[in-house]
């Protein structure tokens, strides 16, 4: 979504041109049903094509996506180009009378269910800025009735982060905020322990610093582009706790179905009889989703995911369905089409699961399974199952790892050398850098980009200042990106190429996550502090801290011994080294290094007793994580 120029970007080679042309032979590009559906019910275009935050920083920009009106260029897989065109169809749409969708205002979409007294908003987009723009667009074309309830369908941040903007349109601040069971715990804990490295890897997955364009990012698979902005949170007041639960909301009857541990750890579907509409959140999409998320996350349970879609089909077996609603796609209309789509999605995940496990039992390794597994034609050629986000290869690896872990069972893989040390050995065994570069150049000219990338990784890891190796590796990654059907793979390859050529871009504005951190449960925050503890530096240290939170009167004892941090809730130690009384926000600020204990005391935010030096000694043992971590270089 940036205007940065990729220096030294190369055109498509003859091999890439051929690979992309061959895609036309394997898929039915004459099938235009998705384009018809994506435009159906159009009311008005989005007006906020560029959205800025309060400081003037651009947090959402699809102004430049008009280039997608052309035919697929040589530098983009035509199937991915088709996905990008569909994701770029934006605006306010009527799904059925009384149910409306806004697409193109964020990476995710949202729905407006009109009730007896107002409107029920389903999911709140990825930032407060995007949510505000969506609310303004809806009210410009629909009645000016208040928000009477908010349904957040799952625990990923792109579904709830704009909630504070949505709440401003409610007459009553205590309107129902309805979520699936365990939503709050999962929403506030996800990505906390590994937030730094996940955010860095996400920059690759979503192509955060790539320009939108034919040699850059064309989509993020599940949305038109990557955005940023202000993340907010609102504590829910209604949890759906039963697997199937009926609830009347603003005069409209919802039948909820809990689907935990699927695409998100807390997630739910619902059926609205009044509107004959079935909502399936992110468990069904117009693409293959990720069982293994390449930005880094716990592998999802493919079998449970498939079973949850099967339960959804059973839920509406005897119900009328006019429309199927999906949070990252356009709707599907009519019951037979909706059920057929759900079955094809269900069978996609079930097939990947069953066949990966079958091949594993035949002794195939994780990498061998990824090369061997193929979808049957009826699943593979269905546009709604194509790998624009997840891919068959990395999903099968995720399923293998889910059951068997990373170890291949070959003894030589039990304790291999780490990548930099191994790279030095590989380079030496292969006759040195100059010899490898000569051979890699020949293989590049043959179009063997996967191998060139694999072998040159070793050269760059062994000799990161070698510009010839870095540029040739970048060229290979770029061609792989041009050929990729998955938006994730394209973005990852192209970001890798860009960083090899230009280094890491460090002036990009990160997401503002303060709205989540300040609502994080204390126990989750203390888990984060525990992983920030530098074990070697803490060797031999023993410190006990008592903490009393003045805003809630919660009490904790924090123990450091054996280079490990533990805490006990509802308990104060009788003989602490130091005792603190402060508000939760101040504790978080000190723990994250946003203010010093001295600053907190001076501001009247901290009362400290005991050995003051022990607090600073403890804080000195906590690491600061660098968000600009190297990935393609050591």
């Amino acid at each position: 979504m940036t205007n940065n120029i990729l220096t030294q970007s190369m055109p498509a080679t003859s091999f890439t041109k051929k690979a992309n042309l061959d895609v036309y032979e394997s898929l039915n590009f004459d099938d235009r049903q998705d384009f018809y559906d994506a435009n159906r019910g159009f009311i008005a275009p989005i007006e906020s094509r560029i959205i800025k935050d309060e400081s003037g920083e651009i947090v959402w920009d699809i102004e430049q996506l008009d280039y997608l009106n052309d035919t697929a260029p040589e530098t983009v897989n035509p199937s991915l180009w088709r996905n990008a065109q569909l994701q770029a169809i934006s605006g306010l749409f009527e799904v059925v009378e009384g149910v409306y969708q806004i697409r193109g205002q964020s990476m995710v979409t949202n729905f407006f269910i009109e009730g007896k007294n107002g409107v029920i908003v389903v999911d709140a987009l990825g930032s407060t800025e995007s949510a505000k723009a969506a609310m303004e667009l809806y009210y410009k074309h629909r009645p000016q009735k208040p928000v009477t309830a908010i349904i957040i369908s799952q625990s990923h941040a792109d579904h709830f982060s704009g909630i504070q903007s949505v709440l401003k349109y409610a007459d009553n601040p205590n309107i129902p905020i309805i979520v699936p069971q365990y939503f709050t715990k999962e929403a506030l804990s996800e990505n906390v322990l590994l937030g730094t490295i996940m955010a860095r890897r996400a920059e690759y997955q979503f192509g955060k610093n790539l320009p939108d364009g034919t040699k850059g990012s064309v989509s993020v698979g599940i949305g038109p582009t990557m955005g940023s902005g202000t993340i907010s949170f609102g504590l829910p007041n209604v949890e759906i706790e039963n697997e199937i639960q009926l609830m009347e909301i603003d005069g409209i009857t919802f039948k909820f179905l809990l689907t935990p541990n699927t695409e998100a750890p807390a997630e739910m579907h619902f059926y609205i009889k009044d509107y004959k509409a079935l909502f399936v959140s992110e468990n069904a999409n117009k693409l293959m989703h990720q069982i293994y998320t390449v930005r880094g996350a716990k592998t999802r349970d493919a079998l449970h995911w498939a079973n949850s879609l099967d339960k959804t089909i059973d839920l509406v077996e005897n119900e009328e369905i006019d429309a199927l609603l999906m949070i990252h796609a356009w709707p599907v209309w009519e019951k037979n089409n909706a059920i057929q789509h759900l079955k094809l999605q269900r069978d996609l995940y079930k097939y990947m699961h069953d066949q990966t496990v079958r091949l594993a039992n035949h002794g195939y390794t994780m990498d061998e399974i990824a090369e061997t597994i193929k979808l049957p034609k009826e699943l593979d050629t269905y546009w709604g199952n194509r790998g624009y986000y997840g891919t068959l290869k990395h999903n099968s690896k995720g399923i293998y790892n889910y059951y068997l872990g990373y170890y291949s069972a070959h003894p030589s893989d039990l304790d291999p050398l780490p990548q930099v040390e191994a790279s030095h050995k590989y380079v030496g065994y292969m006759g040195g850098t100059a010899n490898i570069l000569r051979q890699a150049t020949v293989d590049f000219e043959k179009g063997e980009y996967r191998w060139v990338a694999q072998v040159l990784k070793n050269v760059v890891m062994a000799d990161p200042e070698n510009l010839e190796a870095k540029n040739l590796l970048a060229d290979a990654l770029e061609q792989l990106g041009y050929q990729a059907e998955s938006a994730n793979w394209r973005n990852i390859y192209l970001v890798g190429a860009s960083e090899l050529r230009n280094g890491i871009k460090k002036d990009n504005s990160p997401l503002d996550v303060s709205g989540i951190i300040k609502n994080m449960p204390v126990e989750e925050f203390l888990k984060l502090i525990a992983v920030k503890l530098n074990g070697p530096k803490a060797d031999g240290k023993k410190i006990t801290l008592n903490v009393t939170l003045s805003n809630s009167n919660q009490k904790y004892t924090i123990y450091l011994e054996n280079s490990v941090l533990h805490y006990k809730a509802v308990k104060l130690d009788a003989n602490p080294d130091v005792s603190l009384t402060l508000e939760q926000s101040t504790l978080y600020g000190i723990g994250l290094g946003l203010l010093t204990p001295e600053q907190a005391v001076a501001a009247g935010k901290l009362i400290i007793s005991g050995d003051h030096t022990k607090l600073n000694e403890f804080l000195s043992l906590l690491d600061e994580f660098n968000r600009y971590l190297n990935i393609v270089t050591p």
Side-chain angles (χ1 to χ4, degrees):
M1 59 166 285
T2 67
N3 293 316
N4 305 319
I5 297 173
L6 288 178
T7 61
Q8 304 177 43
S9 186
M10 302 289 289
T13 65
S14 60
F15 298 99
T16 293
K17 293 175 185 177
K18 182 180 185 306
N20 286 339
L21 282 173
D22 288 347
V23 173
Y24 287 108
E25 302 301 317
S26 60
L27 295 167
N28 181 13
F29 283 83
D30 292 331
D31 179 0
R32 304 290 292 177
Q33 185 63 44
D34 282 329
F35 288 91
Y36 171 75
D37 288 345
N39 284 285
R40 180 172 170 174
F42 178 77
I43 295 174
I46 61 172
E47 297 180 352
S48 300
R49 294 173 63 84
I50 298 177
I51 301 175
K52 298 181 179 180
D53 63 16
E54 291 183 355
S55 68
E57 289 287 328
I58 294 176
V59 299
W60 180 251
D61 182 3
I62 58 170
E63 184 68 30
Q64 301 176 64
L65 298 188
D66 289 344
Y67 70 88
L68 290 167
N69 294 327
D70 294 333
T71 56
E74 297 170 335
T75 54
V76 183
N77 182 300
S79 181
L80 177 59
W81 186 261
R82 181 183 184 277
N83 161 266
Q85 289 180 318
L86 287 162
Q87 288 290 358
I89 297 171
S90 60
L92 172 65
F93 301 84
E94 181 182 74
V95 181
V96 295
E97 186 176 356
V99 178
Y100 300 85
Q101 183 185 34
I102 287 180
R103 304 200 304 271
Q105 208 66 89
S106 181
M107 185 171 68
V108 71
T109 78
N110 67 338
F111 290 91
F112 298 81
I113 314 296
E114 294 183 347
K116 296 295 176 63
N117 301 304
V119 61
I120 303 156
V121 178
V122 180
D123 286 2
L125 303 187
S127 71
T128 56
E129 293 87 356
S130 286
K132 179 176 182 291
M135 296 303 298
E136 289 174 349
L137 178 61
Y138 170 79
Y139 280 121
K140 185 170 183 179
H141 299 278
R142 297 301 301 158
Q144 300 284 316
K145 292 185 177 182
V147 174
T148 49
I150 299 173
I151 298 172
I152 304 297
S153 67
Q154 57 129 295
S155 54
H156 288 155
D158 56 332
H159 295 251
F160 66 76
S161 295
I163 191 169
Q164 290 300 329
S165 288
V166 178
L167 284 169
K168 291 178 181 177
Y169 294 87
D171 287 344
N172 179 357
N174 298 315
I175 62 169
I177 300 176
I178 303 156
V179 299
Q181 189 177 33
Y182 306 125
F183 166 86
T184 302
K185 173 182 177 294
E186 298 295 347
L188 297 179
S189 67
E190 182 168 281
N191 298 344
V192 170
L193 299 185
L194 290 152
T196 302
I197 185 60
M198 279 190 183
R200 178 74 174 108
R201 289 170 59 135
E203 290 180 359
Y204 270 66
Q205 175 178 321
F206 293 113
K208 183 169 172 52
N209 293 315
L210 293 175
D212 288 314
T214 58
K215 290 186 177 181
S217 178
V218 296
S219 89
V220 294
I222 56 172
T225 189
M226 179 61 178
S228 57
T230 305
I231 289 178
S232 67
F233 187 77
L235 283 173
N237 47 33
V238 180
E239 272 199 3
I240 302 301
E241 297 178 340
N242 301 319
E243 183 181 34
I244 298 176
Q245 186 168 326
L246 286 173
M247 180 179 295
E248 184 176 295
I249 308 169
D250 192 11
I252 305 296
T253 300
F254 289 74
K255 182 190 288 186
F256 289 97
L257 173 68
L258 286 178
T259 60
N261 300 313
T262 48
E263 193 277 332
E267 190 155 354
M268 64 185 180
H269 302 171
F270 56 75
Y271 172 71
I272 313 172
K273 194 177 187 71
D274 306 68
Y275 292 122
K276 302 175 185 176
L278 173 63
F279 174 85
V280 290
S281 189
E282 202 168 336
N283 284 329
N285 300 271
K286 277 292 189 169
L287 46 72
M288 181 193 298
H289 211 291
Q290 298 186 97
I291 299 301
Y292 167 64
T293 306
V294 288
R295 66 176 168 81
K298 294 178 181 177
T299 302
R300 291 146 184 177
D301 187 339
L303 183 59
H304 187 64
W305 192 329
N307 289 340
S308 291
L309 288 174
D310 197 48
K311 287 181 180 180
T312 303
I313 294 168
D314 291 343
L315 181 77
V316 294
E317 182 180 15
N318 299 315
E319 303 285 1
E320 294 182 85
I321 299 176
D322 285 346
L324 172 67
L325 317 180
M326 298 167 286
I327 206 65
H328 278 288
W330 50 97
V332 173
W333 280 270
E334 299 178 8
K335 183 171 183 176
N336 60 326
N337 296 329
I339 297 301
Q340 177 66 1
H341 178 64
L342 290 177
K343 286 181 176 179
L344 287 165
Q345 287 267 286
R346 174 199 65 188
D347 293 347
L348 170 68
Y349 300 120
K350 186 75 160 56
Y351 185 91
M352 285 192 290
H353 172 273
D354 292 354
Q355 297 309 305
T356 297
V357 174
R358 179 182 69 85
L359 290 168
N361 278 306
H362 278 297
Y364 287 85
T365 66
M366 184 171 66
D367 291 335
E368 290 169 340
I369 291 171
E371 289 298 307
T372 302
I373 190 170
K374 305 294 179 188
L375 292 175
K377 183 177 180 180
E378 56 268 33
L379 295 179
D380 186 49
T381 57
Y382 177 57
W383 284 114
N385 281 354
R386 298 300 298 178
Y388 304 124
Y389 199 54
T391 71
L392 184 59
K393 284 189 173 182
H394 80 244
N395 278 341
S396 67
K397 290 181 179 181
I399 294 165
Y400 181 99
N401 188 270
Y402 182 84
Y403 287 109
L404 294 172
Y406 67 89
Y407 174 48
S408 71
H410 193 287
S412 67
D413 292 332
L414 195 60
D415 189 25
L417 293 175
Q419 65 176 359
V420 173
E421 188 175 347
S423 292
H424 281 284
K425 290 288 189 182
Y426 280 125
V427 170
Y429 272 51
M430 297 171 75
T433 295
N435 187 53
I436 295 172
L437 283 169
R438 279 194 298 272
Q439 296 181 78
T441 300
V442 171
D443 284 340
F444 182 90
E445 296 302 325
K446 295 178 182 177
E448 297 178 10
Y449 307 126
R450 286 175 67 191
W451 172 244
V452 172
Q454 187 173 340
V455 73
L456 286 182
K457 171 189 173 183
N458 292 295
V459 177
V460 173
M461 286 296 166
D463 184 8
E465 302 305 317
N466 190 307
L467 292 180
E468 185 180 357
K470 290 168 72 174
N471 284 328
L472 186 54
L473 175 55
D475 291 347
L477 294 177
E478 189 168 57
Q479 296 303 316
L480 291 170
Y482 290 166
Q483 295 178 26
E485 184 178 33
S486 166
N488 288 346
W489 283 32
R490 178 183 176 87
N491 290 336
I492 288 167
Y493 283 132
L494 295 185
V495 172
S498 175
E499 290 192 356
L500 284 164
R501 291 166 175 161
N502 311 315
I504 300 172
K505 181 175 173 56
K506 296 184 177 181
D507 61 348
N508 56 310
S509 56
L511 281 170
D512 178 0
V513 297
S514 59
I516 291 182
I517 290 176
K518 70 182 182 182
N519 287 290
M520 187 189 304
V522 178
E523 288 79 3
E524 297 298 330
F525 180 76
L526 293 178
K527 290 178 187 177
L528 174 61
I529 295 300
V531 301
K532 286 169 70 72
L533 179 73
N534 187 312
K537 285 175 65 176
D539 190 17
K541 306 283 188 182
K542 189 172 182 179
I543 302 174
T544 301
L545 299 90
N546 278 351
V547 176
T548 299
L549 299 181
S550 55
N551 59 302
S552 60
N553 202 34
Q554 291 175 278
K555 301 179 189 301
Y556 296 87
T557 303
I558 301 173
Y559 299 97
L560 167 60
E561 57 183 337
N562 301 320
S563 295
V564 174
L565 201 65
H566 295 282
Y567 69 88
K568 301 290 184 184
V570 200
K571 178 182 179 180
L572 295 178
D573 192 89
N575 297 294
D577 294 299
V578 61
S579 296
L580 314 176
T581 301
L582 69 177
E583 291 189 352
Q584 180 175 316
S585 59
T586 305
L587 173 67
Y588 289 8
I590 292 173
L592 296 174
L594 302 177
L595 78 165
T596 66
E598 292 75 18
Q599 290 170 329
V601 169
K605 295 181 177 181
L606 169 63
I607 300 172
I608 184 169
S609 60
D611 186 349
H612 294 206
T613 65
K614 286 293 185 181
L615 176 57
N616 282 321
E617 181 183 359
F618 170 75
L619 293 173
S620 73
L621 302 174
L622 304 181
D623 279 352
E624 289 297 321
F625 297 137
N626 175 16
R627 57 183 299 266
Y628 300 113
L629 300 162
N630 289 342
I631 290 180
V632 289
T633 57

